[in-house]
Amino acid sequence: MNTHNTISIQNQKSGYKAHNLPHYFDSEKPVFITYRLKFTLPGRIMDRFAKRKQEWLDDQANASPQDKQNTHNKKDGLHFAWFDELLGKADDIPQVLHEKDITDIIASSFQHFNELRYKLLAYCIMPNHVHVLFLPINCADGSVFPVSRIIYSWKRYSANQINRILKRKGALWQQESYDHVVRTEAEMMNVVNYIIQNPVKAGLVDSWQQWPGTWVHDFVAGGCRSSAEGGK
């Protein structure tokens, strides 16, 4: 289905409150980034998200203090995953990023500064949002190349090119991005599997290898192929 004319510019608040960049980043710790198209979220999505959060809070009320603390520490990740799932399965919001010419533009933006400003580890370009995992690279002075600048360059380049294709003007991407610092190798593989399984969970393909907007570095590909075949 061609949906090149489905994006409208509207001011609205995101249903998931993302973190504000930048944080304290480390060249030895990968960064997981998610950002989406700018559009007004349907009320039914917001209602389902609010209901799920309330059910989570109700469960917390009956949990032990230790369980409450353990779950609270995972709250941001849980809420992000729920919201991401709703975006992936919604068929009444803009769906354009999976069109080949647009996917190619976004992929090109990721690859352009690869090995110069960061080491790209994995990405998945979904119809209305994008997941990226990368390792920041140190600048000449030893500082980590600013992650906020990396994301800004992706969004600016891709927005200019995609707007030309869509024959439109204005903001293409939601201003906020979700970011998470990956602290262990095991967590990194979990994040990679989460990224590549996004199209499968959304019912778009049967296996992650079938989705043309997915890319995984050879460094991590072997591990994720064996553990992600059956989904997560």
Side-chain angles (χ1 to χ4, degrees):
M1 177 176 66
N2 190 315
T3 52
H4 272 181
N5 60 352
T6 61
I7 299 180
S8 61
I9 301 298
Q10 300 186 46
N11 292 323
Q12 56 93 45
K13 293 182 179 180
S14 170
Y16 179 82
K17 179 65 176 178
H19 299 298
N20 293 319
L21 294 171
H23 292 311
Y24 293 102
F25 296 104
D26 188 327
S27 61
E28 296 182 357
K29 292 182 175 62
V31 181
F32 173 44
I33 299 291
T34 295
Y35 57 95
R36 68 170 176 86
L37 289 171
K38 185 175 183 179
F39 52 79
T40 299
L41 290 160
R44 66 174 187 82
I45 289 183
M46 299 310 301
D47 290 344
R48 289 176 63 186
F49 185 55
K51 181 180 179 181
R52 197 162 186 178
K53 287 200 296 184
Q54 187 58 53
E55 290 173 347
W56 179 82
L57 288 172
D58 292 342
D59 289 340
Q60 285 293 287
N62 300 318
S64 68
Q66 183 61 48
D67 287 342
K68 284 182 180 180
Q69 183 61 46
N70 291 338
T71 308
H72 179 78
N73 294 338
K74 300 176 182 178
K75 181 181 68 173
D76 284 351
L78 284 172
H79 290 185
F80 162 76
W82 296 341
F83 189 70
D84 187 45
E85 180 182 354
L86 290 173
L87 286 182
K89 293 182 177 180
D91 56 7
D92 55 349
I93 56 180
Q95 311 278 331
V96 301
L97 304 183
H98 61 303
E99 309 254 356
K100 185 180 185 308
D101 48 357
I102 295 178
T103 294
D104 289 347
I105 288 170
I106 299 170
S108 176
S109 73
F110 296 152
Q111 296 288 351
H112 185 71
F113 287 111
N114 187 25
E115 301 295 341
L116 296 174
R117 297 180 176 179
Y118 50 84
K119 294 181 180 179
L120 197 59
L121 300 178
Y123 63 74
C124 180
I125 303 166
M126 293 289 285
N128 54 43
H129 63 285
V130 177
H131 297 297
V132 195
L133 180 68
F134 64 94
L135 193 66
I137 288 179
N138 286 338
C139 301
D141 63 0
S143 64
V144 173
F145 194 91
V147 170
S148 57
R149 285 183 59 190
I150 291 172
I151 299 172
Y152 174 77
S153 69
W154 290 342
K155 288 183 174 181
R156 181 179 180 181
Y157 171 80
S158 59
N160 288 337
Q161 298 300 313
I162 293 171
N163 277 345
R164 290 178 185 175
I165 292 176
L166 301 181
K167 295 180 172 56
R168 65 183 295 280
K169 296 180 180 180
L172 180 77
W173 301 109
Q174 185 75 16
Q175 184 175 1
E176 290 180 340
S177 302
Y178 172 84
D179 66 283
H180 173 72
V181 177
V182 179
R183 304 190 182 281
T184 67
E185 185 174 347
E187 185 184 6
M188 183 184 75
M189 293 313 306
N190 286 337
V191 170
V192 171
N193 288 331
Y194 179 89
I195 290 172
I196 66 177
Q197 287 297 320
N198 235 230
V200 179
K201 290 180 179 179
L204 301 174
V205 288
D206 293 326
S207 65
W208 68 268
Q209 294 94 336
Q210 297 172 337
W211 189 249
T214 296
W215 179 91
V216 185
H217 193 288
D218 289 342
F219 175 72
V220 296
C224 71
R225 280 174 184 153
S226 60
S227 58
E229 288 296 336
K232 183 185 172 205

